[in-house]
Amino acid sequence: MAEIDLGKVVGTDGRDGLTPSIDPMTGHWMIGDADTGVSAGGKDGEKGKDGRDGKSAYEIAVEAGFSGTLEEWLASLKGEEITAMGYDATLEVLNREE
């Protein structure tokens, strides 16, 4: 089979093609200004099965090393109340290493 050196083949640039879009009024695919009559929307698929419930945030905290009760964990989520620039806010510092 003969080799062809494509580095020596130079062609001219082609014209830009038309960009497809969706007509907001009809929902059809448009090619340039032409309505293709093809709907861009599909039919809804079948309803899937419900997944199983995941872990609670408390369960994840226990797995990550929290050793208190649920009530203690809930209390740990509250920070100190402060007033800054006339606005009430809550400040909590997490994982602060000194």
Side-chain angles (χ1 to χ4, degrees), residues 15 26 29 32 34-35 47 50 52 72 86 90 95:
R15 296 182 320 162
T26 65
W29 281 108
D35 185 339
K47 181 174 175 7
D50 290 340
R52 60 184 169 89
E72 291 169 331
T90 300
N95 298 324

Side-chain angles (χ1 to χ4, degrees), residues 58 67 78:
Y58 171 70
S67 60
K78 296 183 180 183

Side-chain angles (χ1 to χ4, degrees), residues 21-90:
S21 61
I22 300 171
D23 184 303
M25 299 299 286
T26 65
H28 293 170
W29 281 108
M30 304 287 290
I31 304 294
D33 293 330
D35 185 339
T36 65
V38 176
S39 176
K43 295 181 182 178
D44 289 342
E46 294 180 23
K47 181 174 175 7
K49 296 179 183 177
D50 290 340
R52 60 184 169 89
D53 290 340
K55 296 178 183 176
S56 71
Y58 171 70
E59 291 169 322
I60 294 170
V62 168
E63 288 178 2
F66 184 81
S67 60
T69 66
L70 173 61
E71 291 74 22
E72 291 169 331
W73 179 74
L74 290 171
S76 76
L77 299 178
K78 296 183 180 183
E80 298 177 41
E81 289 189 18
I82 63 169
T83 302
M85 295 188 285
Y87 297 98
D88 287 337
T90 300

